[in-house]
Amino acid sequence: MEKIRNILLKTLKKTELERRLRQAMVFVHYEEMVGEKIARISKPVFFRGDTLFIGVASPIWAHQLLFFKSDIINKINSRFSPPLVKDIRFQVCRVDGEPEGGKEDGQEDIEVEIPDKKKQMVYNITSDIKDEKLRQKFAELMMKDLEFKIKRGESLVHSHRQKHGGQDPGYNYDS
């Protein structure tokens, strides 16, 4: 008789949830993976496929971390089998919650409202995660992703629901 744990693991691997949970672990345990010094000046921002985007406090730090890119990838991937990260891209953003040198391009943060249906979707996806800290971080990550996509003007409607002929890029959580 097969254990429930093994059945659940097989089921998770067939879905994208397993990969998303592994990605969420990077956000939860980032400092442990890369070390305190690197975590102080950087933070994981989002995944696009197998590429991890890491925010850094300044362009100078982004340049410096390029020298440690393969080390960071190896440190993160040492926690996962199969490896999770194939590439890292660095981008300048707030790392500690405070603006680095003020707002870029003189723009203020835009307040966005996430639709209730999308909030419910995040709740439904994360409700099965037993580890409360991981569940909260994963929900926070998904909400930030939605906020980011709304600010970029992306549609939050799945492409299969779009009317034909539209130029809308669709909404894809895997990107």
Side-chain angles (χ1 to χ4, degrees):
M1 182 182 227
E2 195 169 3
K3 293 182 178 181
I4 290 178
R5 178 181 186 271
N6 293 337
I7 294 170
L8 287 174
L9 285 174
K10 286 179 186 177
T11 303
L12 283 175
K13 287 183 181 183
K14 290 179 183 176
T15 67
E16 285 297 305
L17 185 58
E18 188 264 344
R19 184 173 66 90
R20 290 182 184 160
L21 286 172
R22 291 171 8 126
Q23 289 175 343
M25 293 299 290
V26 172
F27 290 83
V28 174
H29 299 289
Y30 182 70
E31 184 176 340
E32 297 168 29
M33 293 177 180
V34 300
E36 182 184 347
K37 289 180 182 178
I38 291 176
R40 208 176 349 194
I41 55 137
S42 68
K43 69 177 182 180
V45 180
F46 65 94
F47 274 91
R48 180 169 288 143
D50 297 330
T51 300
L52 173 61
F53 287 76
I54 295 179
V56 292
S58 71
I60 294 168
W61 281 120
H63 181 73
Q64 288 296 315
L65 288 180
L66 280 173
F67 295 109
F68 299 102
K69 183 176 173 176
S70 62
D71 291 336
I72 295 170
I73 290 172
N74 290 335
K75 285 179 180 182
I76 292 171
N77 283 337
S78 70
R79 298 269 186 119
F80 302 102
S81 179
L84 183 63
V85 179
K86 288 186 181 173
D87 192 20
I88 290 179
R89 300 225 179 128
F90 298 102
Q91 61 186 41
V92 178
C93 71
R94 288 184 283 178
V95 174
D96 60 2
E98 295 296 320
E100 183 70 24
K103 306 275 183 212
E104 286 192 27
D105 301 329
Q107 295 180 352
E108 296 183 24
D109 274 342
I110 300 168
E111 194 75 24
V112 296
E113 179 66 30
I114 297 173
D116 288 338
K117 282 186 176 183
K118 294 301 173 184
K119 289 178 185 176
Q120 185 64 41
M121 178 193 71
V122 170
Y123 173 78
N124 291 343
I125 291 172
T126 60
S127 64
D128 290 335
I129 301 172
K130 299 295 181 212
D131 184 306
E132 186 174 333
K133 186 176 179 182
L134 178 59
R135 181 176 57 249
Q136 288 174 336
K137 286 290 187 180
F138 191 55
E140 181 182 312
L141 169 66
M142 291 179 74
M143 295 299 280
K144 288 284 185 187
D145 182 56
L146 286 169
E147 184 179 313
F148 176 75
K149 288 181 177 183
I150 290 170
K151 286 180 181 179
R152 271 197 341 203
E154 290 185 27
S155 171
L156 297 183
V157 178
H158 287 282
S159 58
H160 71 278
R161 293 186 179 183
Q162 294 289 325
K163 293 188 189 274
H164 295 291
Q167 294 295 332
D168 199 304
Y171 185 75
N172 183 351
Y173 242 105
D174 296 329
S175 61

